[in-house]
Amino acid sequence: MVELYAWDLSTPDGLCGVTDSRAAAIGHVTDALRKAEDGTRGVVRRVALSPSGRPVYIDLGPIARARREDKTGAIIWEPW
């Protein structure tokens, strides 16, 4: 079974994506947060394809959350 990870940021333009690599999902969030405004948050969630055959992902829950620190711009990861 292939593991899938969805990632997204709390930005007005709604940056998001899906990958089969946990490391890639974390990398996408990290890269996007480096370019984002202070206070922006991101999340990586484990997902699965719906067995209905429709192109829908089932959210299996978050695995990590990150935020861009207001004062320093540092990316802070919080394991879930």
Side-chain angles (χ1 to χ4, degrees):
M1 184 168 137
V2 175
E3 292 187 358
L4 296 173
Y5 300 90
W7 59 272
D8 54 80
L9 270 67
S10 63
T11 59
D13 55 358
L15 292 173
C16 62
V18 176
T19 179
D20 64 352
S21 168
R22 179 182 175 146
I26 290 170
H28 288 303
V29 171
T30 300
D31 291 344
L33 284 174
R34 285 189 180 126
K35 300 171 192 166
E37 295 180 14
D38 290 345
T40 301
R41 296 181 175 275
V43 65
V44 176
R45 294 172 282 110
R46 183 98 166 22
V47 297
L49 286 171
S50 171
S52 71
R54 295 183 7 228
V56 175
Y57 292 106
I58 299 169
D59 189 343
L60 301 176
I63 62 163
R65 296 181 189 272
R67 62 185 164 81
R68 181 180 168 98
E69 179 64 37
D70 291 339
K71 294 181 183 177
T72 65
I75 309 305
I76 310 297
W77 280 95
E78 304 159 353
W80 196 254

